[in-house]
Amino acid sequence: MVTQEIDTPVIPRYLEILSKEVKIALQVQHRILLESRKTLNFLDFKEFLAPVVGPATDPGIKGAKQISFDYYGKSYKVMSSIILYKQALIRTFDNIYAFSPNVRIEPISNKKSTRHLCEFYQLDLEMRDKSIHDVMSKTEFFLVTLFKKVKRACNQLFEELERDFIVPQIPFPVLTYSEFFDIAQSMDYTISYGEEIPWEVEEELSKKMVEPFWIVDYPVGSRGFYYKENPEQPGTLLTMDLIYPEGFGEASSGGERETDVRKIKQLLHSTEENISNYKWYLDMLSVDGQPSAGLGIGIERLTRYMLGYEDIGNCTAFPKKPGMFSI
Amino acid sequence: MVTQEIDTPVIPRYLEILSKEVKIALQVQHRILLESRKTLNFLDFKEFLAPVVGPATDPGIKGAKQISFDYYGKSYKVMSSIILYKQALIRTFDNIYAFSPNVRIEPISNKKSTRHLCEFYQLDLEMRDKSIHDVMSKTEFFLVTLFKKVKRACNQLFEELERDFIVPQIPFPVLTYSEFFDIAQSMDYTISYGEEIPWEVEEELSKKMVEPFWIVDYPVGSRGFYYKENPEQPGTLLTMDLIYPEGFGEASSGGERETDVRKIKQLLHSTEENISNYKWYLDMLSVDGQPSAGLGIGIERLTRYMLGYEDIGNCTAFPKKPGMFSI
């Protein structure tokens, strides 16, 4: 194994932040944040302040490290996802959202990645008593409205970049995991059914598309413990990923939530997680498990797609690039 | 010394979150977040995504503990304030803001406090080449607009609580630290000039007021290293605190920023901080120190004041009460 060292940026961020590229990105991002809220308010979503630390977060983050620390003698973590907290709050309102910060210390092997950050914001949506199909159609309406509004408001900035992106048609195309798997095999990738499809396949497919598209029905075992199995199609989960076209790849990931405590406990036992940290969550589901569905849309990746930028490091004010000593 | 233990909530948060009190608070907070953004956009402020972790944050948080962790072999912290980052970004735009999450593990002795949380959000504003007076008048306009809009939009909720708060007149009253100090002495508190005035004095004064008011001109040495000394009134800092009336106390704290690297280095040397963590910040000020002024308005405390609630624990979805095993 080759030991990789942490890098120091060649140009300090306090200088890079003055570049035309970053300045345009931040103006577009400002507009994304503003118009998102207006549209979500119109759609009757309530915004809440995302928790940043807590006794439990999403254990299902592949390869990346979480931050643990001592909180009055208890082991707490910095949120790598607020999924469990959305499930708690959705019991109070029909539709909720937060712009939630997530920290995941990516493996240093992701150093060259142009689409990973160790700290990023998600627009986290959750809808009570709804299916993935409800969430998909609400998300499509939301995104089309947002694309239109940002395009109009930032018209001059996009012209300066000579960038154009399509305002997609509703409904977006939908692919199943099986179809996606077949595409991977036709591209001569040796993978077993149920595995995560390699990024290269997603990228190739994404390059061929001109509009965002969904991938649904991931197989059981491929995702976090909080996803619900499809009772009408055992072996598949009620999940959906949204993929940007033009090679930009994953936009969002989500699904319907499992509320069966026994199933969740089983899955948690098969991980290395300390179940006592999930006590409140399991208690809540036992007392008052609330069916819901939702997803999270990465804001820096959304900004990157709209701008057509290669490097996600230009899509936020203070990017934490993997393996980099970032401010 | 009596050892104090961490408490477990009597009612689990996932049940408490369903209470009428919390539900109303979250609806009002939703409106605060929405109208804040609309008003700030109107005032030509650009929103950015606040960093959550980094090599340096504000060392000047009294008594509270910060979270340190290993980031690719370097010592990083969870933000307890994004002040240094606002100073970096203000070089790109005239006016910026973020809803920034801050984590400060409060001493367990604050367990009974009804106005402290270990995790809270600030509306962090910063203005380039402006004075505290510019920031104060912009903040007054912002708050009066926000108070009006939230009052109108959440009219029914406030009626349900039988709560009314005043939309204040502009300009707000201004007190100097010296005047505040004299009030403390007249109340028989034994304090030295330059010390922080006890909370009880602030509370008494706040109870007598019906509108928010400012306290300016804190003495040198009483605040963080990033505040500028008033060249026309040596010994005092260009700072301002905003205090809510009716006994609710501190709303906001801010000031003009020091850009003289030598002075900052001196002050940093007198703390226990590792100066190498501030390298980028000191480099930036050496190369391109940008005068600016700004402040931070605590969102949970703003919500608490508007609602007239005693306990700040009812003013956010997932409160981290000091000394409490909170989710």
Side-chain angles (χ1 to χ4, degrees):
Chain A
M1 196 180 123
V2 183
T3 313
Q4 286 188 291
E5 290 288 321
I6 184 170
D7 287 345
T8 301
V10 180
I11 303 169
R13 186 63 186 170
Y14 64 82
L15 291 179
E16 214 172 34
I17 213 172
L18 303 174
S19 71
K20 177 186 149 190
E21 227 173 356
V22 175
K23 198 170 169 179
I24 289 180
L26 294 178
Q27 286 171 275
V28 169
Q29 194 163 71
H30 164 74
R31 186 55 60 172
I32 290 173
L33 296 172
L34 185 70
E35 300 300 347
S36 292
R37 270 140 178 149
K38 285 192 195 167
T39 306
L40 288 167
N41 184 57
F42 172 77
L43 293 173
D44 196 30
F45 278 75
K46 296 269 175 281
E47 180 170 8
F48 69 102
L49 298 173
V52 177
V53 300
T57 181
D58 177 7
I61 51 166
K62 298 156 209 144
K65 239 183 71 186
Q66 293 177 324
I67 298 166
S68 297
F69 63 94
D70 179 87
Y71 186 81
Y72 300 112
K74 301 272 184 186
S75 172
Y76 268 47
K77 283 180 173 170
V78 176
M79 291 293 148
S80 57
S81 156
I82 60 162
I83 168 68
L84 310 182
Y85 297 85
K86 289 201 292 182
Q87 284 187 257
L89 189 60
I90 199 60
R91 294 153 59 252
T92 306
F93 298 109
D94 286 337
N95 307 297
I96 56 168
Y97 78 96
F99 282 87
S100 69
N102 293 247
V103 183
R104 305 174 183 180
I105 306 180
E106 290 288 331
I108 208 157
S109 55
N110 269 345
K111 202 188 259 190
K112 301 266 181 238
S113 170
T114 57
R115 60 194 184 90
H116 283 92
L117 290 173
C118 294
E119 176 184 285
F120 63 96
Y121 276 80
Q122 281 194 71
L123 170 51
D124 251 311
L125 305 177
E126 195 75 12
M127 296 169 71
R128 180 161 66 181
D129 266 329
K130 297 291 180 201
S131 70
I132 53 167
H133 304 289
D134 297 321
V135 174
M136 285 161 76
S137 66
K138 200 66 94 179
T139 302
E140 290 176 357
F141 179 88
F142 166 73
L143 281 178
V144 167
T145 310
L146 185 68
F147 282 17
K148 271 187 203 163
K149 285 181 169 181
V150 174
K151 228 178 152 161
R152 196 181 312 138
C154 301
N155 180 33
Q156 283 194 323
L157 297 171
F158 290 118
E159 265 180 27
E160 225 175 300
L161 296 174
E162 296 178 28
R163 166 68 180 163
D164 199 11
F165 58 89
I166 279 172
V167 175
Q169 296 291 313
I170 286 176
F172 300 173
V174 179
L175 228 76
T176 62
Y177 172 87
S178 291
E179 291 168 322
F180 192 32
F181 180 80
D182 290 344
I183 292 171
Q185 285 205 312
S186 73
M187 284 170 63
D188 288 338
Y189 277 93
T190 336
I191 43 169
S192 329
Y193 192 88
E195 267 181 51
E196 203 63 56
I197 310 284
W199 156 243
E200 290 73 15
V201 180
E202 186 179 307
E203 190 179 24
E204 274 313 302
L205 183 59
S206 164
K207 274 183 184 164
K208 285 184 191 136
M209 306 294 280
V210 288
E211 297 187 324
F213 60 99
W214 299 100
I215 302 176
V216 298
D217 297 349
Y218 273 78
V220 166
S222 65
R223 292 289 157 105
F225 64 82
Y226 41 77
Y227 286 116
K228 194 182 168 78
E229 188 170 353
N230 190 344
E232 287 163 23
Q233 201 179 310
T236 69
L237 297 171
L238 292 163
T239 55
M240 71 295 207
D241 280 6
L242 182 69
I243 315 290
Y244 292 123
E246 302 178 55
F248 284 97
E250 191 181 329
S252 174
S253 193
E256 273 177 55
R257 313 309 176 186
E258 183 58 80
T259 51
D260 184 329
V261 184
R262 275 176 323 135
K263 285 192 183 170
I264 292 177
K265 273 189 183 163
Q266 256 174 20
L267 285 170
L268 268 176
H269 272 295
S270 70
T271 69
E272 283 166 19
E273 287 298 305
N274 182 349
I275 293 200
S276 70
N277 292 338
Y278 294 87
K279 186 178 180 306
W280 71 267
Y281 176 71
L282 299 170
D283 285 353
M284 173 181 82
L285 294 181
S286 305
V287 172
D288 183 24
Q290 174 59 57
S292 68
L295 47 66
I297 301 171
I299 298 304
E300 295 84 354
R301 287 185 177 180
L302 172 59
T303 309
R304 176 174 176 254
Y305 168 61
M306 281 194 185
L307 293 164
Y309 281 3
E310 171 65 21
D311 186 4
I312 199 161
N314 288 326
C315 300
T316 189
F318 302 103
K320 300 284 178 314
K321 300 269 289 177
M324 184 73 81
F325 184 37
S326 317
I327 65 165
Chain B
M1 196 182 122
V2 182
T3 313
Q4 285 189 290
E5 289 288 321
I6 185 170
D7 287 345
T8 301
V10 181
I11 304 169
R13 186 63 186 171
Y14 64 84
L15 290 180
E16 214 172 35
I17 213 171
L18 303 174
S19 71
K20 178 187 148 190
E21 226 173 357
V22 175
K23 197 169 169 179
I24 289 181
L26 294 179
Q27 285 170 275
V28 169
Q29 194 162 73
H30 164 75
R31 185 56 60 172
I32 290 174
L33 297 172
L34 185 70
E35 299 300 347
S36 292
R37 269 136 178 152
K38 285 192 196 167
T39 306
L40 288 167
N41 184 57
F42 171 77
L43 293 173
D44 196 30
F45 278 75
K46 297 269 174 279
E47 180 170 8
F48 69 101
L49 298 172
V52 176
V53 300
T57 180
D58 177 6
I61 53 166
K62 297 157 209 142
K65 239 184 70 186
Q66 292 177 324
I67 298 166
S68 297
F69 62 95
D70 180 88
Y71 187 82
Y72 300 111
K74 302 271 183 186
S75 172
Y76 267 46
K77 284 181 173 169
V78 176
M79 291 294 149
S80 57
S81 156
I82 60 161
I83 168 69
L84 310 181
Y85 297 85
K86 289 201 292 182
Q87 284 186 256
L89 189 60
I90 199 59
R91 293 152 61 251
T92 306
F93 298 109
D94 285 337
N95 307 298
I96 56 169
Y97 77 96
F99 282 87
S100 68
N102 293 249
V103 183
R104 305 175 183 179
I105 306 181
E106 289 288 331
I108 207 157
S109 56
N110 269 344
K111 203 187 256 188
K112 300 266 180 237
S113 170
T114 57
R115 59 194 183 90
H116 284 92
L117 291 173
C118 294
E119 176 184 284
F120 64 95
Y121 276 80
Q122 281 194 71
L123 169 51
D124 251 310
L125 305 177
E126 196 76 12
M127 297 169 70
R128 179 160 66 180
D129 266 330
K130 297 291 182 201
S131 70
I132 53 167
H133 304 290
D134 297 322
V135 174
M136 286 162 75
S137 66
K138 201 67 96 180
T139 302
E140 290 176 358
F141 179 89
F142 166 74
L143 281 178
V144 167
T145 309
L146 185 68
F147 281 19
K148 272 188 203 162
K149 285 180 169 179
V150 174
K151 227 177 152 161
R152 197 182 311 138
C154 300
N155 181 31
Q156 283 195 323
L157 297 172
F158 290 118
E159 264 180 27
E160 223 175 303
L161 296 174
E162 297 179 26
R163 165 68 180 163
D164 198 12
F165 58 90
I166 279 172
V167 175
Q169 296 292 313
I170 285 176
F172 299 173
V174 180
L175 228 75
T176 63
Y177 172 87
S178 291
E179 290 168 324
F180 192 32
F181 180 79
D182 290 345
I183 292 170
Q185 284 204 312
S186 73
M187 285 168 64
D188 288 337
Y189 278 93
T190 338
I191 43 166
S192 328
Y193 192 86
E195 267 181 49
E196 201 64 55
I197 311 284
W199 155 243
E200 289 75 14
V201 180
E202 187 180 306
E203 191 179 23
E204 275 313 303
L205 183 60
S206 164
K207 274 184 182 163
K208 287 184 190 134
M209 305 293 279
V210 287
E211 297 187 323
F213 60 99
W214 298 100
I215 302 176
V216 299
D217 296 349
Y218 273 79
V220 166
S222 63
R223 292 291 156 102
F225 64 81
Y226 40 78
Y227 285 117
K228 194 181 168 79
E229 189 170 352
N230 189 344
E232 287 164 20
Q233 201 179 311
T236 69
L237 297 171
L238 291 163
T239 56
M240 71 297 207
D241 280 7
L242 183 68
I243 315 290
Y244 292 123
E246 302 179 55
F248 284 97
E250 190 180 329
S252 172
S253 193
E256 274 176 55
R257 313 308 177 187
E258 182 58 79
T259 52
D260 184 328
V261 184
R262 275 178 321 136
K263 284 190 183 173
I264 292 176
K265 273 190 182 164
Q266 255 174 20
L267 285 170
L268 269 175
H269 273 296
S270 70
T271 69
E272 282 166 18
E273 287 298 303
N274 182 349
I275 292 200
S276 70
N277 291 338
Y278 294 87
K279 188 178 179 305
W280 70 267
Y281 176 71
L282 299 170
D283 285 352
M284 173 180 81
L285 293 181
S286 305
V287 172
D288 182 25
Q290 174 59 58
S292 69
L295 47 65
I297 300 170
I299 298 304
E300 295 84 353
R301 287 187 176 178
L302 172 59
T303 310
R304 176 175 175 254
Y305 169 61
M306 281 194 185
L307 293 164
Y309 281 4
E310 172 64 22
D311 187 3
I312 199 161
N314 287 326
C315 300
T316 189
F318 301 103
K320 301 284 178 314
K321 299 269 291 176
M324 184 74 82
F325 184 38
S326 317
I327 65 167

